[in-house]
Structures are given as structure tokens and as C-alpha cells.
Amino acid sequence: MNSFNAALLAGVILLFVSNLSGQGGVYLSGADAPRPSKTPSGINLRNSSGSEGAFNVRVSLAEMRVESDSSKGGAGMTGRLNVFRKFFRVEIAGATRLSQPASLSVKYAIQEGEGISTAEETVSIDAQGANLIIDTGGFEDKYGTEVKSKTSGSKVTSTKYKHFEAEIVAAHITITDKAGAELYVGGWPEAESRPANLPEHLKVRAYTSIDGRQLNAIVSAVDKESVIFLINGRPFKVDLSKLTAPDREFLEKVRMQSQ
């Protein structure tokens, strides 16, 4: 059993949906992205095969201060409530026209006190570029103490209420393209049990030249005249006329689908 499922069985299971903040965003550079309240904490998002998917992905836990307010009761008691938006910051590096993400789905496990809640959201990715920063909407966490005064006759008393801090303790993230094909699948803290179901052109495939030589590569870009292959992460440009007819037919389908 992975940690995500174990976490769900560790405490009281609640469906946690209404508190998702929906305040995420998609940015083309770090300068565009809002600065978190403190340095995000990196996590190791993995899948069982060790595959990285169509591009490099780095994920961190981040939080933004929303509000901090103090309260004071008539009996001299004081309290302070903090409100933070807690979310994932997902950085994608190396996307190409043929591996352009269109959406990111995340399933959270959130622990608050002894209880475990679950939440799910999808972020649409309308920006296109080789490098993207995606902030998920996350959730607003209200924690600390608040004081409420009560009056009975002429006597004023105060009652203090404690709100437990909530933390994201596990996650599952899937990134897909506009056709719904999976470009990246990962889990944290345990590896996801399956790799991404990559589209065929992003899988390593054997291509054959008209003189019989073979190369194993994935497709980075293709036009009417040539194709750019990635071989061990390095780009190589090849004229389509140098490839066999089945390979040219396959690459023409890829080109048409990318338009």
C-alpha cells in the first residue's frame, strides 16, 4: 500500500472539496509568478518505472499568507488566527510543440489534526512555452486560536477555540495534452504505480533510413521537409526524404495532429 492510500486510512476520512481556493495560475517565468510567503519546500514526485515522462518536472509545496488577525475576549484572553493558501508549485522544463501540456490534475491528501481529507482539482494550461510554472489553486488553511466573549447578566467571560493547522501529506499529479494523452504521471511521497501513457511520437521508436540504418529516438518537432529527433536528450535534424515510407507516413500523421 502506498503512502497516499495509507494516509487515507490513518484517520477520519472526509471528502474535502469546498475549501479549494481556485487561485492558481500559469506563468512563463519565475518573475511572473507571485512570491510565496516563504521558500517553497521541494518534494520528489516519482512513478514506479522511474520514467520522467515527456519533460522534466519539479514540484514544491508553497504557501501564501492571506490574512492574520488577533482577537481579544472580555476576560483578558487573546488569540490569533492565521489564514494561508497552501498549494503545489509545478515547474515544467523542456516542453516542445509536440509535448505541450494543456491541463494538470492533482489529488491531495490533507491532514488536519487526526483527520485526513481528500481534494481534487484541475488547472487549465493555456500558456505555451518550453518552460512553465503552474500554481495549483490549493486550499485555504485557517489555524490558530480565536477568542469569543460571552455575556451572562453583568458578567463577561471568554471562550478560546483552537483550529488545527492543515498540511498536504500526499499527492498524485497527472499532466495531459489537449488530446487528453498523458505526458507526466507522478506520486508523492510514494512513487505512482504506473508510468505516463505517452502518445506514440513521445515514446522511443526505431526509425529506419532508406539505406537501412536505424536510430532509436523520440520526435521533438516535424514539418513538411524534416524532423527533429531527440536521442538521449540531444536534438538531431533529419530530412524526411532520407527515411523509409512507413516512417514518413507516421511522421506526417504526427505533423497533422500537432497543427
Side-chain angles (χ1 to χ4, degrees):
M1 180 182 297
N2 62 33
S3 292
F4 188 90
N5 291 328
L8 291 179
L9 295 175
V12 179
I13 311 301
L14 300 172
L15 183 61
F16 181 97
V17 176
S18 60
N19 203 27
L20 286 174
S21 70
Q23 298 177 11
V26 181
Y27 311 97
L28 291 174
S29 71
D32 297 331
R35 185 182 298 274
S37 299
K38 63 180 181 181
T39 302
S41 174
I43 65 172
N44 184 19
L45 196 66
R46 301 176 291 136
N47 61 51
S48 59
S49 71
S51 171
E52 292 294 335
F55 29 59
N56 293 323
V57 175
R58 185 172 66 179
V59 183
S60 54
L61 287 165
E63 56 184 42
M64 302 282 288
R65 182 187 294 273
V66 177
E67 184 181 0
S68 183
D69 190 25
S70 61
S71 60
K72 186 174 182 179
M77 299 173 66
T78 59
R80 176 170 291 277
L81 281 179
N82 301 292
V83 182
F84 281 81
R85 178 170 71 92
K86 298 184 175 180
F87 60 95
F88 281 119
R89 172 157 287 182
V90 182
E91 299 180 47
I92 294 174
T96 68
R97 182 178 178 184
L98 296 179
S99 65
Q100 196 67 50
S103 66
L104 180 150
S105 298
V106 56
K107 297 179 181 179
Y108 302 94
I110 301 167
Q111 184 166 12
E112 183 176 7
E114 296 297 322
I116 298 290
S117 305
T118 62
E120 183 174 355
E121 67 172 314
T122 298
V123 179
S124 295
I125 305 172
D126 50 10
Q128 295 192 359
N131 303 304
L132 297 167
I133 297 175
I134 302 163
D135 284 354
T136 62
F139 70 102
E140 286 194 354
D141 181 24
K142 183 178 181 180
Y143 63 92
T145 57
E146 62 178 329
V147 175
K148 294 184 178 179
S149 296
K150 296 181 179 180
T151 302
S152 178
S154 60
K155 185 177 181 180
V156 178
T157 60
S158 299
T159 302
K160 182 176 288 189
Y161 298 88
K162 181 175 179 61
H163 302 270
F164 292 104
E165 184 173 1
E167 299 290 353
I168 300 171
V169 295
H172 165 94
I173 288 179
T174 304
I175 301 172
T176 57
D177 65 13
K178 62 182 180 181
E182 293 176 341
L183 303 178
Y184 188 93
V185 173
W188 167 78
E190 294 294 326
E192 177 57 32
S193 59
R194 62 184 181 85
N197 184 19
L198 292 169
E200 289 302 316
H201 65 274
L202 295 179
K203 296 178 182 178
V204 176
R205 183 179 186 272
Y207 294 87
T208 306
S209 66
I210 54 177
D211 61 4
R213 291 178 295 174
Q214 280 196 335
L215 58 88
N216 297 315
I218 65 173
V219 181
S220 175
V222 61
D223 58 29
K224 290 184 178 181
E225 304 296 332
S226 62
V227 57
I228 297 177
F229 290 124
L230 289 180
I231 303 175
N232 295 325
R234 297 179 61 189
F236 290 89
K237 186 175 181 179
V238 177
D239 291 339
L240 294 178
S241 61
K242 296 182 178 180
L243 298 174
T244 60
D247 286 342
R248 293 199 303 271
E249 291 173 4
F250 172 78
L251 292 170
E252 176 61 16
K253 291 179 181 179
V254 173
R255 186 182 72 83
M256 296 300 294
Q257 291 171 358
S258 68
Q259 291 182 342

